[in-house]
Each structure stands twice: as C-alpha cells, then as structure tokens.
Amino acid sequence: MKDQSHKRHIAKTITWRIVGTLDTVILSWIISGSPIIGLKIGLAEVVTKMLLYYFHERAWFKINLSKDGEVLESRKRHIAKTFTWRLIGTIDTMILAWIISGDPLTGLKIGFAEVVTKMLLYYFHERFWYKSNYGLSNRNKKEL
C-alpha cells in the first residue's frame, strides 16, 4: 500500500498544481494588470507549491483524526485539509507575488483574492480524488 499511496499523492499533486496554477495566473493577471506578471507568479509557484503540497498530503496521510475510534467523516476531513492547505498556499503566493511584482500590496491582493477561489477548487479536487481508486490497492477509508 505504501508504494501505491506515493503514486496517488504524486498524481494528486500534479493535478492540483495544474488547477491551482491556472487560477493563480488568471487572478495575478487581473490584479496586476500584466499577463507577464501573472505568468511569472504562476510559473514560480509551480515548484514551491508542488513541494509544499506533496508534504501536506504526506502529513495528512499520517494523521489519524478519529472520534471514539471512528475515522473522521471524509467531508469534515476534506474541509480541514482545505483550510490547512489554503493557509500554506496563500502565504506562499503572497510572498512570491510580492517578490515578482515588487509590490507588497499586490502580493496581499493576490493572496486574499485566491483564498475563496482556491478553497472551492481544492474542496472539489479532494472530493474527486476521494471517489477515485487510483493508487489504492483496496478501498479503505482509514488509509485516506
């Protein structure tokens, strides 16, 4: 199961990064007014976010949130994962946008704008992957 879970987490990392990068590029372009700045921010965060996301997935894989011996219901777990990931992702985006644009206010605007869009997109991404059996030898909710 261990090799299978790594494969699954890598696939989730890649699919989320595609969705997340497109969202960042579009928001950065709109807020900065420059498609070049939007692309630079989006491309810069591909590496940082893939690394951060992979470690976030591994940490949540090892966390066993349970109540009275029962694994935390998937929707609640996905909401908790959404909030922890969004905090990490927003801080990363704000820093990168500030560095690339040279304006801390632009970094803050982009970071705050994507809080809502990314949380919605991430929640649906988690639900999609929860229903997928890719990388799972058998369906066991305790392992998710």
Side-chain angles (χ1 to χ4, degrees):
M1 180 63 192
K2 195 170 190 172
D3 291 335
Q4 294 280 340
S5 71
H6 282 283
K7 216 162 77 170
R8 179 180 178 86
H9 296 157
I10 289 169
K12 281 181 73 174
T13 300
I14 292 167
T15 58
W16 173 246
R17 187 58 353 234
I18 291 167
V19 171
T21 297
L22 289 173
D23 184 58
T24 298
V25 168
I26 292 166
L27 287 174
S28 298
W29 177 356
I30 291 168
I31 291 168
S32 72
S34 167
I36 300 301
I37 287 178
L39 284 170
K40 284 182 179 179
I41 293 168
L43 292 174
E45 75 172 20
V46 167
V47 174
T48 60
K49 291 284 194 316
M50 284 183 77
L51 289 170
L52 291 169
Y53 185 85
Y54 178 79
F55 290 119
H56 182 259
E57 275 298 303
R58 295 307 299 162
W60 271 95
F61 181 71
K62 293 176 187 226
I63 293 173
N64 181 16
L65 295 178
S66 62
K67 184 177 179 182
D68 302 326
E70 301 260 338
V71 172
L72 185 65
E73 192 259 321
S74 71
R75 289 191 200 294
K76 290 178 185 175
R77 181 178 175 89
H78 295 152
I79 289 169
K81 281 180 72 176
T82 298
F83 279 95
T84 59
W85 172 245
R86 192 64 262 135
L87 178 65
I88 293 165
T90 297
I91 291 168
D92 183 55
T93 298
M94 286 180 181
I95 292 168
L96 289 173
W98 175 2
I99 292 168
I100 291 168
S101 72
D103 180 10
L105 188 57
T106 297
L108 287 172
K109 286 179 184 178
I110 292 168
F112 284 124
E114 72 171 24
V115 166
V116 174
T117 59
K118 289 282 193 328
M119 285 180 75
L120 289 170
L121 291 168
Y122 184 81
Y123 177 80
F124 290 116
H125 183 262
E126 279 296 303
R127 295 304 300 161
F128 170 82
W129 276 98
Y130 178 73
K131 293 177 181 186
S132 168
N133 288 325
Y134 179 79
L136 299 175
S137 55
N138 60 0
R139 187 69 175 181
N140 184 345
K141 290 183 182 179
K142 289 183 180 182
E143 295 172 350
L144 297 175

